Amino acid sequence: MASPDRPVRPPRPQHELTVVSAERVGPHLVRVVLTGDSLADFGAAEHTDAYVKLRFTDADGDPITRTYTVRTVDREARLLTIDFVTHGDVGYAGPWAQQAKGGDRIVLMGPGSGYAPDPDAGWHLLAGDLSAVPAIAASLEAMPADASGVALLEVEDRGDVIPLRAPEHVDVQWLVNPATDDVDFLARAVDGVEWRDGVQVFAHGERESIKEVRRVLKQRGVPREAISISGYWARGRTEDAFQAEKRTPVGQID
Ligand SMILES: Cc1cc2nc3c(=O)[nH]c(=O)nc-3n(C[C@H](O)[C@H](O)[C@H](O)COP(=O)(O)OP(=O)(O)OC[C@H]3O[C@@H](n4cnc5c(N)ncnc54)[C@H](O)[C@@H]3O)c2cc1C
């Protein structure tokens, strides 16, 4: 039964899709292009951080859900692209993407979304790790040509740097950090940018790293309404554990 303070959300549309291609674009990145007729009506056109829930099943046949950003969607051509970070043989989505080939089938639900670059923002600060590069790339592509700002992209390996299209006055910085236990690496980079008034922030990625970024944004006095921030995953946690922890203190970003 619905709780009185939790509105009931209509179920997200379901899409039964087929893999067109799966291509390794970096040592930790696989790009999968999917197709299906239902993509003609795919939503979230107004946002650049659209995400979908991919459905897998575990060894007992129980459903498993994993969340991924829509890197691009072409409703007319009915094509949807997802960039998967690969992180070894553990999990469901990463290993699925590593083995995906044309003709494979997958079911996903969505989209959900919430952010778009504000054309009236004084400047933009985008920060994240490889899991947030798809959303940041889509956001950069949607900005007007005269937008300005900084995009800070933390990667473990220089090979994961991929070409991005960005407005001329958005400084895209790829920051290589092989030390995965250095959780305030991204926050230090955020603190080091040239701060001015009027920023709009998009910061997403590994949870502990994003907590450190939030701390810097608080110190800088950035208004909450100018910030889109969340963990996309947490080191050492499956997505199920990560999502469950959102209801406990360790899972809170703010
Ligand atoms: C809104 C949203 C959008 C997202 N968009 C993307 C996206 O576009 N591309 C993308 O790759 N991810 C994205 N993610 C993150 C993705 O959902 C998680 O990385 C997810 O845990 C991967 O599922 P899995 O089955 O591969 O691994 P899981 O079974 O969830 O985890 C298995 C193990 O792998 C580790 N692990 C998980 N992800 C990573 C990683 N990125 N790097 C290193 N170790 C990891 C876990 O900590 C765990 O120890 C997004 C998450 C959210 C909430």
Side-chain angles (χ1 to χ4, degrees):
M1 196 168 66
S3 114
D5 52 358
R6 269 203 171 183
V8 182
R9 271 194 311 219
R12 293 201 167 108
Q14 179 168 302
H15 304 269
E16 293 179 23
L17 304 182
T18 304
V19 174
V20 176
S21 63
E23 175 199 5
R24 186 163 279 286
V25 289
H28 299 101
L29 210 54
V30 170
R31 175 162 296 165
V32 178
V33 180
L34 301 161
T35 190
D37 284 344
S38 63
L39 294 176
D41 301 319
F42 197 78
E46 70 283 20
H47 289 136
T48 57
D49 66 341
Y51 61 86
V52 289
K53 302 279 179 183
L54 306 190
R55 286 238 305 255
F56 300 93
T57 45
D58 69 11
D60 299 325
D62 296 321
I64 299 279
T65 305
R66 293 292 183 260
T67 311
Y68 280 81
T69 302
V70 175
R71 173 64 187 84
T72 61
V73 60
D74 182 336
R75 293 169 181 81
E76 208 174 321
R78 294 154 169 66
L79 293 174
L80 182 145
T81 302
I82 298 177
D83 282 356
F84 291 81
V85 177
T86 58
H87 48 86
D89 297 333
V90 285
Y92 292 89
W96 177 83
Q98 290 185 78
Q99 292 171 12
K101 55 184 186 323
D104 288 357
R105 308 294 300 268
I106 190 152
V107 174
L108 58 83
M109 285 155 308
S113 63
Y115 163 89
D118 177 356
D120 297 327
W123 62 290
H124 297 272
L125 173 64
L126 305 108
D129 62 19
L130 201 52
S131 71
V133 166
I136 291 175
S139 303
L140 292 171
E141 286 171 4
M143 286 180 187
D146 63 352
S148 66
V150 185
L152 303 170
L153 309 173
E154 178 182 357
V155 290
E156 277 177 55
D157 192 316
R158 179 149 302 282
D160 286 315
V161 174
I162 53 172
L164 298 184
R165 271 192 294 122
E168 187 184 350
H169 298 293
V170 177
D171 179 17
V172 178
Q173 299 181 23
W174 290 90
L175 308 169
V176 181
N177 177 25
T180 52
D181 57 348
D182 184 5
V183 290
D184 62 1
F185 177 88
L186 190 60
R188 294 198 301 276
V190 166
D191 200 31
V193 304
E194 192 188 314
W195 281 86
R196 294 170 276 130
D197 289 342
V199 70
Q200 185 192 19
V201 177
F202 183 83
H204 298 264
E206 200 282 327
R207 184 181 70 198
E208 298 309 306
S209 159
I210 294 301
K211 283 182 189 170
E212 297 298 322
V213 171
R214 182 74 186 103
R215 185 178 50 76
V216 171
L217 298 177
K218 279 188 179 150
Q219 285 166 357
R220 293 281 177 183
V222 181
R224 186 64 185 87
E225 60 275 15
I227 302 173
S228 166
I229 193 163
S230 73
Y232 271 6
W233 63 285
R235 197 166 295 283
R237 271 79 165 171
T238 64
E239 179 165 346
D240 314 278
F242 163 73
Q243 297 286 0
E245 283 182 349
K246 283 186 178 171
R247 296 185 288 277
T248 71
V250 73
Q252 311 285 313
I253 300 292
D254 268 304

